[in-house]
Amino acid sequence: MIAEILSTGDEILTGSIVDSNSAYIAEKLALNGVNVVRHTCVGDDRSALVSVLKEIGVRADLAVITGGLGPTADDLTAETAAMAAGVELVYSEIADRSIDDFFKNHGRLRRDSDKKQAMLPEGAECIVNPVGTAPGFMVKVGKCHVFCVPGVPAEMQRMLSDSVLPAIQKLLGNDRAVLLTRTISVFGMSEAAVGEHLLELEEKFPGIKLGLCAEFPEIKVKLYVRSEVENNPHKIVGEASDWVLGKIGKHVFSKTGGSMASEVGRLLGETNSTLSVAESCTGGLISHMLTNVPGSSSYFLFSAITYSNQAKMDVLGVSSKSLEKFGAVSEDIAKEMAEGARRVSGSLYGLSTSGIAGPDGGTDEKPVGTICIGVAGPDFLKGFRYNLSFGSRSRNKTIFAMAALELLRRELNPNFIK
Amino acid sequence: MIAEILSTGDEILTGSIVDSNSAYIAEKLALNGVNVVRHTCVGDDRSALVSVLKEIGVRADLAVITGGLGPTADDLTAETAAMAAGVELVYSEIADRSIDDFFKNHGRLRRDSDKKQAMLPEGAECIVNPVGTAPGFMVKVGKCHVFCVPGVPAEMQRMLSDSVLPAIQKLLGNDRAVLLTRTISVFGMSEAAVGEHLLELEEKFPGIKLGLCAEFPEIKVKLYVRSEVENNPHKIVGEASDWVLGKIGKHVFSKTGGSMASEVGRLLGETNSTLSVAESCTGGLISHMLTNVPGSSSYFLFSAITYSNQAKMDVLGVSSKSLEKFGAVSEDIAKEMAEGARRVSGSLYGLSTSGIAGPDGGTDEKPVGTICIGVAGPDFLKGFRYNLSFGSRSRNKTIFAMAALELLRRELNPNFIK
């Protein structure tokens, strides 16, 4: 069963807002075993909408359309879907009642303009909207079952799970494309290098399709189990996953597609350990990443962002002698910073960065991209130095932060082979 | 001139990542006077790519394609663009040199698989990639000029501004829809409220088209000068901009579309002032935003991310009595934190946050979304308290950080009418 997604609206077409609905719907459809082959976006334009709906009616068996169901003149989805289907707009009592119910339940006054939303293409089935004023509908265009829902994410998501996905399950029967997906998160290898190492995967595991996805600075390895696999898809994906770990396990930081910060958080949480951070060139990004994880306050105690040398000395106790001898960007200072963060906060582990994110500040000896990282624990204190230059200040900050978290993760993970 | 945007890649098609590239490109094309009528996304699938490229070759005069330029077997853009154009893939010396240069400049080893990236459709013009390994290219498919760039946002953005947009300007000649654009950055109003305040703008300034663009938590007000305006478009846009400032100036933080952090940095730099920060619930985000601005080390001295009460006392000198009396999330503690950051680092200004980002930790008295902000200067110390709950931990952190920087900006800006 071939599916497509269509998002409508000038605000998406002109780039005023990013279309996150299509990714949301695509992922839900994939999880339901539907094979999505194309997304399209067109504006609030009658002829563009009719053209693309007719195309979809020829190409696809199933489509989800977002947007254009509101009460104003530029909301054209019902009208153009009717045109593409070759039917008239007719009054729907179910749609009218859905709108009435919403206004009643929310103590709001219904306007005349909302009457337009009760007009659906002839033969369409109304999809009730429990969280907004705009009802959706399903109509056949050509060979395609077209499901129209609002563009407001919360309304779309609710109607998708309540009505659209159950209806799609009925349509699908046994015709599902992918049974399940496993994601493995990798850091420290290029996409090309990962691809080369996993070249033989599909040959070794005929039921598995490999997908690589670069989300700078990570690579996500996706293992899709094809629907041909009849027996025990979980066992097959487990074996393929083990094979991947055998090939590139050193660079895998999560076997379940988790983020670096949540993985570090998990390892800290498991051992009831605490962490403090001292950041120079990463400027708060490590702390931001760590504290994006809900519950991080149970292991993350403190971070000092010490841009100035004075702050490194005053807050972290870095010695002025070392600063003079080695310079702020050095393994020695990174080690003193990591140890200082531990000492100041009483945390079990300390992590630090000092480097040159650019665009200025580089020298021949310490060019832009130079990053020194310190990792301190109850019985160790280590310094590292790399050159990781990726073309912009923000990309450099990102890779510095990931590298620091990865070095800590390796210390925290008892299974990591050093 | 009709334009389309095509994003490619299984990771977008399956919803693993949200396609933010298309919105970015759509906006840049609009600013350059190009009329975008459709976005499409297809996966890493040979026949789907060839079909859609052929369709675009019939429908559009101009297209920007992202993704599929990497070295691995599922990177199919060059191959399928050649098929759609009816030409062969041929070795491009310029592309090969572009790849070589990147590896040399970054001290990295080039792999054999990267050779694939030097093969471009016959007759294509190479678009050099200064920040990554994958060169892009422009090739004619049907009547359409197809510009292919990588899907990595930083690489796409750089190549768009360096090469693609200048080439498009040449193609356009006098066929431009917009002469120039002015962007005004707004914080603290909803898009609907901004729209209501500026309702009469297009009537008052007939040569101007108004665009509103919500980039959470900011609203960008765009003033497009239409190509009909013959005399002095700069004067007209200046007058319209002044009119906008008269209506919503209180909420405008940049008259040139700048970021909040760069605006705060500019105000600090102008007066040779320095800043330190004490963050609790924002967890490093304020520091990360400030240090994303190149040159920020000249005014940003230090930040303490004090998640634990102990760290608030030990590092910032917050009193245990106050913590007991008011609780960590209070205006009083925020004030002590801001003053503590100043004192510890010797900076002229101090800024602090303490609040509840969620999803847990809220109480009836202090629900998720409660944010207390402290601003300290040479002759003032102020505390603020708001409830700004926007549905997720990361959105709450973002709006907390923006609100704190906005309060500091108002103190730094001598022209701000309080």
Side-chain angles (χ1 to χ4, degrees), chain A residues 6 53 63-69 77-78 80-82 120-121 125-128 134-139 141 145-151 156 159 164:
Chain A
L6 172 64
L53 285 163
V64 180
I65 320 279
T66 55
L69 297 177
T77 299
T80 53
L120 304 186
E125 288 166 33
C126 177
I127 302 171
V128 170
F137 59 88
M138 193 289 285
V139 67
V141 176
H145 292 82
V146 176
F147 293 85
C148 300
V149 291
M156 176 278 288
M159 291 162 79
V164 178

Side-chain angles (χ1 to χ4, degrees), chain A residues 217-368:
Chain A
E218 300 176 23
I219 308 292
K220 301 262 193 213
V221 174
K222 305 229 170 194
L223 306 175
Y224 302 96
V225 184
R226 295 174 196 277
S227 57
E228 303 94 81
V229 174
E230 283 177 8
N231 292 319
N232 217 339
H234 288 279
K235 182 162 169 270
I236 288 176
V237 83
E239 287 167 359
S241 171
D242 287 345
W243 184 86
V244 170
L245 294 176
K247 291 279 178 186
I248 57 166
K250 201 184 153 192
H251 295 280
V252 169
F253 63 84
S254 168
K255 298 174 199 174
T256 53
S259 75
M260 182 66 86
S262 62
E263 189 61 20
V264 165
R266 187 182 65 76
L267 291 166
L268 289 167
E270 271 179 13
T271 51
N272 274 318
S273 306
T274 51
L275 172 66
S276 291
V277 178
E279 302 189 53
S280 187
C281 57
T282 47
L285 177 56
I286 295 177
S287 313
H288 176 48
M289 288 164 76
L290 286 166
T291 60
N292 271 350
V293 180
S296 46
S297 57
S298 69
Y299 48 80
F300 175 70
L301 297 189
F302 169 63
S303 175
I305 294 142
T306 51
Y307 248 43
S308 68
N309 282 349
Q310 198 60 46
K312 288 183 183 76
M313 295 188 283
D314 293 350
V315 179
L316 298 169
V318 170
S319 86
S320 63
K321 232 190 225 162
S322 308
L323 278 167
E324 212 170 292
K325 190 169 168 196
F326 305 110
V329 179
S330 62
E331 286 125 294
D332 294 88
I333 296 300
K335 280 156 74 174
E336 288 193 28
M337 288 170 69
E339 190 56 37
R342 275 190 81 210
R343 193 179 48 241
V344 166
S345 67
S347 64
L348 194 63
Y349 293 97
L351 180 65
S352 75
T353 57
S354 182
I356 298 157
D360 305 316
T363 62
D364 280 352
E365 203 201 334
K366 294 174 182 174
V368 168

Side-chain angles (χ1 to χ4, degrees), chain A residues 5 11-20 22-24 26-28 30 35-43 48 51-52 55 59 189-197 199 209-216 222 224 279-298 300-308 310-311 314-315 344-345 358-360 387 389-395 397-398, chain B residues 5 10-20 22-24 26-28 30 36-44 48 51-52 55 59 70-72 74-75 102 106 108 111-114 130-132 152-155 158 191 212-215 279-298 300-308 310-311 314-315 344-345 358-360 393-394 397-398:
Chain A
I5 297 168
E11 67 283 12
I12 298 171
L13 188 68
T14 59
S16 287
I17 57 172
V18 171
D19 171 27
S20 58
S22 293
Y24 183 91
E27 191 157 36
K28 293 290 175 199
N35 187 22
V36 176
V37 300
R38 189 185 284 217
H39 309 183
T40 308
C41 166
V42 293
S51 300
V52 73
E55 291 170 29
R59 285 192 304 249
M189 292 177 86
S190 70
E191 188 181 353
V194 174
E196 273 178 33
H197 278 87
L199 214 53
K209 182 180 177 304
L210 172 67
L212 296 182
C213 170
E215 295 175 18
F216 180 81
K222 305 229 170 194
Y224 302 96
E279 302 189 53
S280 187
C281 57
T282 47
L285 177 56
I286 295 177
S287 313
H288 176 48
M289 288 164 76
L290 286 166
T291 60
N292 271 350
V293 180
S296 46
S297 57
S298 69
F300 175 70
L301 297 189
F302 169 63
S303 175
I305 294 142
T306 51
Y307 248 43
S308 68
Q310 198 60 46
D314 293 350
V315 179
V344 166
S345 67
D360 305 316
N387 191 285
S389 180
F390 282 79
S392 77
R393 182 179 180 83
S394 89
R395 279 163 74 89
K397 279 177 74 178
T398 303
Chain B
I5 297 168
D10 285 346
E11 67 281 13
I12 297 170
L13 189 68
T14 58
S16 290
I17 58 172
V18 171
D19 172 26
S20 58
S22 293
Y24 183 91
E27 188 161 38
K28 292 292 175 196
V36 176
V37 300
R38 189 187 282 218
H39 309 183
T40 309
C41 165
V42 294
D44 303 312
S51 302
V52 74
E55 291 169 28
R59 285 193 303 248
T72 59
D74 60 357
D75 289 305
F102 179 82
H106 292 77
R108 284 163 55 189
R111 289 164 176 284
D112 270 354
S113 55
D114 299 325
V131 287
V152 180
E155 298 179 24
R158 176 72 182 270
E191 190 180 352
L212 296 183
C213 170
E215 294 173 18
E279 302 188 53
S280 188
C281 58
T282 46
L285 177 56
I286 294 176
S287 313
H288 176 48
M289 288 165 76
L290 286 166
T291 60
N292 272 350
V293 180
S296 46
S297 57
S298 69
F300 175 70
L301 297 189
F302 168 63
S303 175
I305 295 141
T306 50
Y307 247 43
S308 67
Q310 196 62 45
D314 293 349
V315 179
V344 166
S345 68
D360 306 316
R393 181 178 180 82
S394 89
K397 278 178 76 178
T398 303

Side-chain angles (χ1 to χ4, degrees), chain B residues 64-124:
Chain B
V64 180
I65 320 281
T66 56
L69 297 178
T72 59
D74 60 357
D75 289 305
L76 297 169
T77 299
E79 179 188 333
T80 53
M83 287 163 79
V87 298
E88 297 291 315
L89 280 179
V90 294
Y91 169 77
S92 159
E93 208 183 312
I94 301 175
D96 206 13
R97 213 180 316 129
S98 160
I99 305 169
D100 259 347
D101 285 350
F102 179 82
F103 279 96
K104 266 185 211 140
N105 293 338
H106 292 77
R108 284 163 55 189
L109 208 67
R110 187 168 167 184
R111 289 164 176 284
D112 270 354
S113 55
D114 299 325
K115 288 281 173 202
K116 171 171 173 288
Q117 294 173 296
M119 300 298 289
L120 303 186
E122 199 173 353

